[in-house]
Amino acid sequence: MTTQEKERDDHFNRCVEFHGHRCPGLAIGFQAARALMDRLGATRAPDEELVAIVETDACGADAIQVMTGCTFGKGNFIFRNYGKHAFALADRKTGRTVRACLRLDAMELSPQKRTLIEKIRNGTASSEELEQYRNLKEKRIQEILETPFESLFKIEEISLPIPPEAQIVESKVCGFCGELAKVDLLQPVAGRMSCVPCRLARHEP
Ligand SMILES: [Zn+2]
Ligand SMILES: [Zn+2]
């Protein structure tokens, strides 16, 4: 194993630790993060230097957080619910944004794997078949980790306004539930300030 392969595996293992299990989806997000950082010439963001925009909430999104340092809590990890295996990364310093979208043929399932998944779903898979499935899955992970970025993804620069850095916003008390909420999310309802869930409970917008 070369030093680069060892380094790659160490990084992937960090993603597995965060995500909780090894899966092909995580490997795809991992490769996307590496491809995007490579294209931008960027390193992991300790603060808000980078912004990630993910178009899926599937497994891969976790690898994006670990690898890029863009996290949900820092406000530089943006989820767009488009259901696409696509990930973008913006660099605040240069203003550049690169997007990677998984290629069509990269998602194909072999007929053998399809049959196994079917059997696992309806609970008829034998222990050998479960083992076979695990092996195929591991093989698929290795395959993804070893495929060049350009074969896995369509990678292109896009123009996208980079969202501003997170602001500290004052909180005020909701006049209905008595809990603190950010002022920009409070709205007047029947003469009192109301938080989002209290408005929803009253069927107000
Ligand atoms: Zn997963
Ligand atoms: Zn409330």
Side-chain angles (χ1 to χ4, degrees), residues 19-26 58-60 62:
H19 181 56
H21 63 226
R22 291 173 71 84
C23 65
L26 190 70
C59 299
D62 278 353

Side-chain angles (χ1 to χ4, degrees), residues 173-181 186 193-199:
V173 173
C174 166
F176 293 88
C177 64
E179 293 179 355
L180 283 172
L186 289 167
M193 291 312 269
S194 170
C195 71
V196 177
C198 287
R199 286 202 295 282

Side-chain angles (χ1 to χ4, degrees), residues 19-20 28-29 40 69 74 77 96 98 107 124 147 181 187 202:
H19 181 56
I28 286 165
L40 288 173
K74 273 196 293 194
F77 181 85
R96 289 170 64 211
V98 180
M107 277 305 278
T124 56
T147 305
Q187 296 265 325
R202 295 170 61 99

Side-chain angles (χ1 to χ4, degrees), residues 4-18:
Q4 274 129 324
E5 283 167 352
K6 164 97 178 62
E7 201 182 40
R8 182 199 64 203
D9 288 358
D10 287 348
H11 283 148
F12 185 62
N13 287 336
R14 280 204 352 248
C15 297
V16 173
E17 204 174 300
F18 178 76

Side-chain angles (χ1 to χ4, degrees), residues 53-58 79-87 99-102 154:
I53 303 110
V54 302
E55 298 177 29
T56 173
D57 58 358
F79 167 51
R80 301 251 187 268
N81 194 9
Y82 299 159
K84 292 189 185 186
H85 288 282
F87 313 89
R99 178 176 180 267
C101 184
L102 195 66
K154 176 184 78 179

Side-chain angles (χ1 to χ4, degrees), residues 60-82:
D62 278 353
I64 301 285
Q65 295 194 72
V66 174
M67 293 303 290
T68 64
C70 298
T71 66
F72 185 65
K74 273 196 293 194
N76 57 344
F77 181 85
I78 297 162
F79 167 51
R80 301 251 187 268
N81 194 9
Y82 299 159

